[in-house]
mmCIF file of all heavy atoms in Angstrom:
data_model
loop_
_atom_site.group_PDB
_atom_site.id
_atom_site.type_symbol
_atom_site.label_atom_id
_atom_site.label_comp_id
_atom_site.label_asym_id
_atom_site.label_seq_id
_atom_site.Cartn_x
_atom_site.Cartn_y
_atom_site.Cartn_z
ATOM 1 N N TYR G 20 84.701 142.852 123.870
ATOM 2 C CA TYR G 20 83.864 143.396 122.787
ATOM 3 C C TYR G 20 82.426 143.571 123.286
ATOM 4 O O TYR G 20 81.800 144.623 123.085
ATOM 5 C CB TYR G 20 83.938 142.451 121.588
ATOM 6 C CG TYR G 20 82.957 142.725 120.471
ATOM 7 C CD1 TYR G 20 83.310 143.559 119.412
ATOM 8 C CD2 TYR G 20 81.691 142.141 120.460
ATOM 9 C CE1 TYR G 20 82.424 143.801 118.370
ATOM 10 C CE2 TYR G 20 80.799 142.377 119.428
ATOM 11 C CZ TYR G 20 81.163 143.205 118.391
ATOM 12 O OH TYR G 20 80.272 143.455 117.374
ATOM 13 N N VAL G 41 78.073 128.491 119.297
ATOM 14 C CA VAL G 41 77.996 128.549 117.826
ATOM 15 C C VAL G 41 79.300 128.043 117.215
ATOM 16 O O VAL G 41 79.293 127.306 116.220
ATOM 17 C CB VAL G 41 77.685 129.986 117.350
ATOM 18 C CG1 VAL G 41 77.818 130.087 115.834
ATOM 19 C CG2 VAL G 41 76.282 130.392 117.775
ATOM 20 N N TRP G 43 81.386 125.808 118.379
ATOM 21 C CA TRP G 43 81.445 124.339 118.426
ATOM 22 C C TRP G 43 80.430 123.731 117.476
ATOM 23 O O TRP G 43 80.707 122.740 116.801
ATOM 24 C CB TRP G 43 81.216 123.835 119.855
ATOM 25 C CG TRP G 43 82.450 123.976 120.703
ATOM 26 C CD1 TRP G 43 82.637 124.857 121.724
ATOM 27 C CD2 TRP G 43 83.674 123.254 120.577
ATOM 28 N NE1 TRP G 43 83.907 124.721 122.236
ATOM 29 C CE2 TRP G 43 84.557 123.738 121.563
ATOM 30 C CE3 TRP G 43 84.105 122.229 119.737
ATOM 31 C CZ2 TRP G 43 85.852 123.244 121.723
ATOM 32 C CZ3 TRP G 43 85.398 121.723 119.884
ATOM 33 C CH2 TRP G 43 86.250 122.237 120.876
ATOM 34 N N MET G 60 85.190 134.592 114.362
ATOM 35 C CA MET G 60 84.639 134.612 115.728
ATOM 36 C C MET G 60 84.046 135.990 116.039
ATOM 37 O O MET G 60 82.976 136.092 116.643
ATOM 38 C CB MET G 60 85.755 134.257 116.719
ATOM 39 C CG MET G 60 85.302 134.000 118.137
ATOM 40 S SD MET G 60 86.720 133.430 119.123
ATOM 41 C CE MET G 60 85.975 133.285 120.744
ATOM 42 N N ARG G 65 79.380 139.712 116.489
ATOM 43 C CA ARG G 65 78.606 140.833 115.942
ATOM 44 C C ARG G 65 77.136 140.423 115.774
ATOM 45 O O ARG G 65 76.220 141.178 116.103
ATOM 46 C CB ARG G 65 79.222 141.219 114.599
ATOM 47 C CG ARG G 65 78.546 142.315 113.874
ATOM 48 C CD ARG G 65 79.371 142.658 112.636
ATOM 49 N NE ARG G 65 78.713 143.650 111.825
ATOM 50 C CZ ARG G 65 78.007 143.371 110.733
ATOM 51 N NH1 ARG G 65 77.873 142.113 110.346
ATOM 52 N NH2 ARG G 65 77.436 144.339 110.042
ATOM 53 N N ALA G 87 78.062 137.106 137.498
ATOM 54 C CA ALA G 87 78.185 137.715 138.832
ATOM 55 C C ALA G 87 79.452 138.550 138.925
ATOM 56 O O ALA G 87 79.447 139.650 139.496
ATOM 57 C CB ALA G 87 78.178 136.616 139.897
ATOM 58 N N GLY G 102 85.760 164.363 130.676
ATOM 59 C CA GLY G 102 84.678 165.085 130.000
ATOM 60 C C GLY G 102 84.754 164.907 128.501
ATOM 61 O O GLY G 102 83.751 164.601 127.844
ATOM 62 N N LEU G 107 83.101 162.390 123.453
ATOM 63 C CA LEU G 107 83.517 161.667 122.263
ATOM 64 C C LEU G 107 82.712 160.367 122.119
ATOM 65 O O LEU G 107 82.267 160.011 121.030
ATOM 66 C CB LEU G 107 85.018 161.358 122.335
ATOM 67 C CG LEU G 107 85.604 160.580 121.144
ATOM 68 C CD1 LEU G 107 85.293 161.266 119.827
ATOM 69 C CD2 LEU G 107 87.114 160.429 121.314
ATOM 70 N N GLN G 118 78.957 153.333 110.333
ATOM 71 C CA GLN G 118 80.177 154.095 110.631
ATOM 72 C C GLN G 118 80.622 153.840 112.074
ATOM 73 O O GLN G 118 81.813 153.684 112.353
ATOM 74 C CB GLN G 118 79.920 155.588 110.428
ATOM 75 C CG GLN G 118 79.657 155.988 108.977
ATOM 76 C CD GLN G 118 79.422 157.482 108.839
ATOM 77 O OE1 GLN G 118 79.765 158.280 109.719
ATOM 78 N NE2 GLN G 118 78.815 157.870 107.725
ATOM 79 N N ARG G 119 79.640 153.814 112.973
ATOM 80 C CA ARG G 119 79.972 153.606 114.387
ATOM 81 C C ARG G 119 80.683 152.273 114.580
ATOM 82 O O ARG G 119 81.681 152.182 115.306
ATOM 83 C CB ARG G 119 78.670 153.639 115.206
ATOM 84 C CG ARG G 119 78.897 153.433 116.692
ATOM 85 C CD ARG G 119 77.628 153.643 117.476
ATOM 86 N NE ARG G 119 76.650 152.601 117.254
ATOM 87 C CZ ARG G 119 75.452 152.771 116.727
ATOM 88 N NH1 ARG G 119 75.068 153.969 116.354
ATOM 89 N NH2 ARG G 119 74.618 151.764 116.573
ATOM 90 N N GLU G 120 80.171 151.259 113.909
ATOM 91 C CA GLU G 120 80.748 149.923 114.036
ATOM 92 C C GLU G 120 82.219 149.915 113.617
ATOM 93 O O GLU G 120 83.066 149.303 114.273
ATOM 94 C CB GLU G 120 79.926 148.980 113.155
ATOM 95 C CG GLU G 120 80.312 147.539 113.245
ATOM 96 C CD GLU G 120 79.332 146.663 112.479
ATOM 97 O OE1 GLU G 120 79.013 147.005 111.327
ATOM 98 O OE2 GLU G 120 78.910 145.634 113.027
ATOM 99 N N ARG G 149 83.534 154.527 105.056
ATOM 100 C CA ARG G 149 82.751 154.726 106.291
ATOM 101 C C ARG G 149 83.623 155.346 107.377
ATOM 102 O O ARG G 149 83.188 156.228 108.124
ATOM 103 C CB ARG G 149 82.197 153.378 106.779
ATOM 104 C CG ARG G 149 81.085 152.823 105.926
ATOM 105 C CD ARG G 149 80.682 151.429 106.385
ATOM 106 N NE ARG G 149 79.685 150.847 105.492
ATOM 107 C CZ ARG G 149 79.292 149.580 105.521
ATOM 108 N NH1 ARG G 149 79.828 148.740 106.411
ATOM 109 N NH2 ARG G 149 78.391 149.119 104.681
#
Side-chain angles (χ1 to χ4, degrees):
Chain G
Y20 170 91
V41 171
W43 282 109
M60 190 174 177
R65 178 174 175 260
L107 179 54
Q118 293 181 18
R119 180 173 70 242
E120 185 173 47
R149 288 174 185 170

